[in-house]
Amino acid sequence: MRVLATTAYPEAPSLSYFLEYAQQDQLKIHTLVNDPELADIIIFVDPPNPDDDFFLTKLFDHPWLKHFWYKFIVYNERDEPFTILPGLYTSLLKSQWNPKRHRPCVYLQVPNQFVGKSFSYKKDLLGSFMGSSRTHPLRKKLLSLNFSELYLEDTTNYWFFGNTKNPQAHDNQTKSQKLKYAEIMARSKFVLCPRGKSPSSFRVYEALMSGAVPVIISDEWIQPDGPNWQEFCIFVPENNIENIENIVQSSESKYEQMVQLGKMAYNEWLSPNVRFHHMIESASLILKNPRWTEQIWQNLPCKVYAKRKIFYIAKTSLKLFKNMKNIKKI
């Protein structure tokens, strides 16, 4: 397919990664173009910051979306995405998922540049989790438990993403904290991946990059297309985290087999050399489905179109509000 990748926003760092992976692509089946007329698919890369135009007004107003509604999709890696548009989403909830319009997708980039580097550490930890307790009650509960063989650390006070108000103030601290995070993961046979603000987690991919087995604790997580995730991941229901150590201990004998299957799956489906190809393959599944919603929008008078857009915004906002209420009840 001929692919045009763009954005409707002044800054979208993920677009740079997307274009970089397109250049690295080993399979060379899909190619980049610059002309929307020539493109078979137009991908709008959405910025990850949820404060940037949450209701996607800039996207709706983009002329390419209006003129080429039948071949556009979005790439969205927000923790709480606004799923009104068809596209690739890293953090879909099962309750939001429409397979004809949405495909689960891998993150374009993990935030810790030290993860997956050649650390010469022995795998002396059975399992670990380093993460913030404030992003979801499940994490708070997990970090409150006592286990003899699992390393747990609350990183709420860490500066993993730097200090946005004073970028230079905590550079050294941020680096040392990221190095510790990467070291603990490199020493771990199993990495716990509980859901946070979103059902997805960078840790799933970081664990595979670090030669560890992901232990996914997220009932709403949707597996990206391609790998047989059950072969190299452990899935634990959210209501069973008290038994997480016993579950991991019982799987230790299968660690070597699972980690090898994980490496094979990562190289075949998720690595930077094939990531662009498989993202476009997933996107093509969306294009095969009828785009009646977008077609209706384009043929309605402007005022009716605007009212319809507001209706969808209100409907999706209500769904998000209900999801937030459900989270608080957990």
Side-chain angles (χ1 to χ4, degrees):
M1 298 186 78
R2 293 166 296 186
V3 182
L4 193 159
T6 187
T7 182
Y9 301 90
E11 294 184 9
S14 295
L15 178 59
S16 299
Y17 292 121
F18 184 88
L19 296 174
E20 180 182 337
Y21 294 144
Q23 296 299 324
Q24 295 179 23
D25 181 43
Q26 292 181 338
L27 300 177
K28 304 297 182 185
I29 294 175
H30 307 297
T31 58
L32 291 176
V33 296
N34 295 318
D35 188 341
E37 295 280 357
L38 296 177
D40 299 308
I41 184 170
I42 300 174
I43 296 183
F44 284 88
V45 179
D46 192 26
N49 188 345
D51 296 328
D52 291 338
D53 191 23
F54 177 79
F55 292 118
L56 310 178
T57 305
K58 293 179 181 178
L59 262 177
F60 277 112
D61 292 338
H62 197 285
W64 288 357
L65 186 148
K66 295 178 180 179
H67 294 299
F68 303 104
W69 55 267
Y70 52 91
K71 59 181 179 181
F72 87 88
I73 67 164
V74 298
Y75 168 80
N76 186 304
E77 58 181 33
R78 302 185 186 196
D79 288 334
E80 296 172 321
F82 187 46
T83 57
I84 192 171
L85 295 175
L88 306 174
Y89 291 85
T90 60
S91 302
L92 278 171
L93 291 167
K94 285 182 180 178
S95 55
Q96 294 177 322
W97 186 31
N98 178 348
K100 293 183 178 181
R101 292 177 62 81
H102 312 131
R103 302 307 304 177
C105 183
V106 64
Y107 291 96
L108 281 171
Q109 185 73 0
V110 296
N112 190 332
Q113 70 271 31
F114 302 112
V115 168
K117 303 301 181 184
S118 299
F119 292 103
S120 56
Y121 296 113
K122 293 182 179 180
K123 292 286 185 179
D124 59 343
L125 295 175
L126 175 64
S128 67
F129 169 66
M130 292 181 66
S132 174
S133 61
R134 68 183 179 188
T135 56
H136 196 275
L138 177 70
R139 290 189 175 195
K140 188 173 183 179
K141 183 176 180 180
L142 175 63
L143 288 164
S144 70
L145 299 173
N146 293 316
F147 299 114
S148 60
E149 292 192 70
L150 300 181
Y151 178 91
L152 304 179
E153 182 176 350
D154 189 346
T155 62
T156 297
N157 295 322
Y158 274 33
W159 291 93
F160 279 145
F161 299 99
N163 186 339
T164 55
K165 294 182 179 179
N166 188 357
Q168 302 300 321
H170 293 276
D171 280 356
N172 292 333
Q173 184 181 4
T174 298
K175 182 178 179 180
S176 64
Q177 290 168 346
K178 284 186 173 183
L179 281 168
K180 180 182 180 181
Y181 177 96
E183 175 191 335
I184 293 296
M185 190 167 285
R187 292 169 52 194
S188 302
K189 292 182 178 180
F190 297 86
V191 172
L192 309 188
C193 306
R195 66 155 301 156
K197 193 174 182 180
S198 81
S200 185
S201 172
F202 287 112
R203 284 168 191 78
V204 175
Y205 310 104
E206 291 173 332
L208 294 172
M209 294 166 63
S210 302
V213 174
V215 182
I216 299 170
I217 317 166
S218 179
D219 297 346
E220 287 272 11
W221 185 64
I222 306 172
Q223 304 162 12
D225 298 324
N228 183 353
W229 294 88
Q230 281 71 20
E231 287 185 343
F232 54 88
C233 296
I234 297 173
F235 292 85
V236 178
E238 292 178 16
N239 62 4
N240 197 26
I241 59 171
E242 292 89 349
N243 297 316
I244 194 83
E245 186 171 57
N246 293 333
I247 293 170
V248 171
Q249 287 171 337
S250 66
S251 302
E252 188 175 10
S253 61
K254 298 184 289 185
Y255 163 73
E256 293 292 346
Q257 178 186 5
M258 294 182 75
V259 82
Q260 288 303 318
L261 290 171
K263 288 179 180 178
M264 292 170 58
Y266 183 84
N267 291 332
E268 182 180 358
W269 295 99
L270 307 172
S271 73
N273 294 332
V274 297
R275 195 169 297 172
F276 170 77
H277 171 81
H278 290 301
M279 288 178 70
I280 302 306
E281 290 292 300
S282 290
S284 68
L285 298 176
I286 300 173
L287 293 189
K288 291 179 181 178
N289 294 304
R291 307 294 291 273
W292 60 268
T293 305
E294 285 76 25
Q295 188 174 17
I296 290 174
W297 282 351
Q298 306 314 312
N299 291 297
L300 288 172
C302 292
K303 289 183 179 179
V304 178
Y305 166 71
K307 289 179 180 178
R308 188 175 185 87
K309 185 164 70 173
I310 291 171
F311 167 76
Y312 275 101
I313 289 172
K315 182 179 178 181
T316 308
S317 299
L318 180 61
K319 184 183 292 186
L320 287 172
F321 176 72
K322 289 181 178 178
N323 288 337
M324 291 175 66
K325 287 183 67 178
N326 291 335
I327 288 173
K328 291 179 180 179
K329 292 178 181 178
I330 296 175

